[in-house]
Amino acid sequence: MARMMRLAFLYFMVVAFVTACGSTPQTTTAPTSAPAAADACPRPPEMDARFCDEDGDLVADPPKDPAQWVNPDTLIFAYTPVEDPSVYRVAWADFLAHLEKVTGKKVEFFAVDSNAAQLEAMRAGRLHVAGFNSGSVPFAVNFAGFVPFTMMAKADGSFGYEMEIIVPANSDIQSIEDLRGRRVAFTEPTSNSGFKAPSALLASQFNLSSERGDFEAVFSGGHDNSILGVANGDYDAAAIANSVMKRMIKRGVIKADQIRSIYRSQTFPTTAYGYVYNLTPELAAKVREAFATFNWEGSSLQQEFSKSGEAQFIPITYKEHWEVIRQIDKALGVKYVQ
């Protein structure tokens, strides 16, 4: 972590921004197949040797050999494990019914309990369509063959969320400097908005480090846990993604007057949706069509995600929209594959 802090300090002296949430796999799975003449296959240096990227879009190309394509009878869909999976099983119900209609496939919702589990499931071929949280997207692309192509946005086309550092509403903490000597919750060591970004911020701009004992760092395991912990007074402060906080307030899980924000970052891209690289081209095109043609009005998706302002799916590219996340990861020495 000390090396991470030093790298973050140098980077923030050049570029003044903070990144969003993410996760990296803890283990790797042995490759199930690899392209012929892998050494000659063009790909970014950070991409797993199983994949090729001849068009230079930084995303794995579909296999040239049709024998390597997959066309499952049942499509498995997973949403990033941010909050209570039961909430999102209901929230995604109308969209998944639409996905079934467009693709002609049965679709099942797969409740994952960690970012690492979601990444491993796609890499192992058990997950076909997914939404990966912002910081996990580079790992999913390079480690698991994820092809992101869309994300949620507001009705006016704007998108994204911010990292916030929150405290109990009645706390005497008024500024970042007041975190010295306090108990600060992070989500998990591999999360950007839940750990990497706030750690870099605290080190580079405020000279605060948990390793020096400036504050006590604890890990809650998730943004919802951190938010609830602050609302209930279990933590003195927490670094969280405010899109999660907004939805929890709208659902009545916490009250807005239970917490107070002392820092808010710039805006970053949110969850990216896409499919595994080796779906048959026809099926991949149908998945894209399903997202593009979904009617939000009156849907279960609108009911849940309007709580944080989302109203539509918009097209994105990994190369453009995730450049800021890749730059921060590079500065922190993050590796997408092992």
Side-chain angles (χ1 to χ4, degrees):
M1 182 172 174
R3 178 175 175 269
M4 179 184 293
M5 295 300 190
R6 288 194 296 272
L7 287 168
F9 179 80
L10 291 173
Y11 187 66
F12 274 80
M13 296 305 98
V14 180
V15 183
F17 52 70
V18 182
T19 192
C21 67
S23 175
T24 182
Q26 301 302 305
T27 60
T28 58
T29 303
T32 56
S33 63
D39 290 344
C41 177
R43 72 177 70 85
E46 63 270 19
M47 182 176 283
D48 190 275
R50 291 199 305 165
F51 311 127
C52 293
D53 177 29
E54 291 187 351
D55 58 8
D57 64 357
L58 306 184
V59 174
D61 299 335
K64 291 183 177 180
D65 182 359
Q68 295 182 10
W69 297 346
V70 296
N71 188 21
D73 294 330
T74 299
L75 286 174
I76 306 300
F77 173 88
Y79 177 64
T80 181
V82 179
E83 304 161 68
D84 183 356
S86 64
V87 171
Y88 291 97
R89 186 184 296 276
V90 173
W92 282 96
D94 287 350
F95 174 81
L96 297 188
H98 178 68
L99 183 60
E100 286 188 336
K101 182 178 180 180
V102 173
T103 62
K105 303 285 187 179
K106 182 180 178 182
V107 179
E108 291 185 2
F109 183 92
F110 175 38
V112 291
D113 58 8
S114 70
N115 294 310
Q118 188 181 19
L119 288 161
E120 290 284 0
M122 179 163 282
R123 180 174 170 87
R126 299 191 301 272
L127 177 59
H128 309 115
V129 183
F132 281 95
N133 67 29
S134 185
S136 290
V137 170
F139 298 99
V141 166
N142 291 286
F143 175 80
F146 179 54
V147 181
F149 65 88
T150 190
M151 68 179 168
M152 292 181 183
K154 296 178 174 61
D156 63 3
S158 61
F159 59 85
Y161 74 105
E162 296 79 36
M163 182 275 290
E164 294 196 36
I165 296 179
I166 60 172
V167 299
N170 61 358
S171 171
D172 61 350
I173 299 173
Q174 300 297 322
S175 65
I176 295 291
E177 291 86 347
D178 294 336
L179 295 180
R180 194 175 296 276
R182 305 302 181 105
R183 192 167 188 250
V184 182
F186 300 96
T187 60
E188 56 182 342
T190 52
S191 172
N192 273 329
S193 66
F195 179 69
K196 292 190 293 184
S199 294
L201 167 76
L202 294 173
S204 65
Q205 296 188 25
F206 298 96
N207 195 29
L208 291 172
S209 167
S210 63
E211 289 197 344
R212 279 201 314 265
D214 296 333
F215 61 89
E216 179 189 358
V218 296
F219 293 97
S220 71
H223 292 277
D224 52 340
N225 295 335
S226 290
I227 294 163
L228 282 169
V230 169
N232 294 326
D234 299 328
Y235 308 127
D236 294 320
I240 55 90
N242 64 5
S243 57
V244 179
M245 180 176 65
K246 291 174 183 176
R247 292 197 296 269
M248 291 177 69
I249 290 172
K250 288 286 183 68
R251 286 205 307 271
V253 178
I254 63 165
K255 295 180 179 179
D257 60 7
Q258 289 180 275
I259 56 179
R260 176 165 45 85
S261 178
I262 62 170
Y263 180 86
R264 183 173 178 172
S265 78
Q266 71 176 80
T267 300
F268 296 95
T270 185
T271 300
Y273 300 91
Y275 51 84
V276 69
Y277 81 112
N278 59 344
L279 288 186
T280 65
E282 294 79 11
L283 181 53
K286 288 292 185 181
V287 172
R288 287 177 177 265
E289 179 185 341
F291 279 90
T293 59
F294 180 70
N295 182 7
W296 280 67
E297 191 62 33
S299 70
S300 57
L301 209 60
Q302 181 190 51
Q303 183 176 353
E304 176 58 30
F305 285 93
S306 63
K307 296 180 175 75
S308 49
E310 283 88 1
Q312 62 175 320
F313 289 110
I314 62 170
I316 55 95
T317 67
Y318 172 69
K319 189 171 186 177
E320 175 187 353
H321 291 85
W322 262 258
E323 181 180 8
V324 61
I325 307 299
R326 296 195 305 272
Q327 287 178 329
I328 294 277
D329 283 347
K330 183 177 180 180
L332 297 179
V334 173
K335 302 295 183 184
Y336 299 136
V337 296
Q338 298 177 355

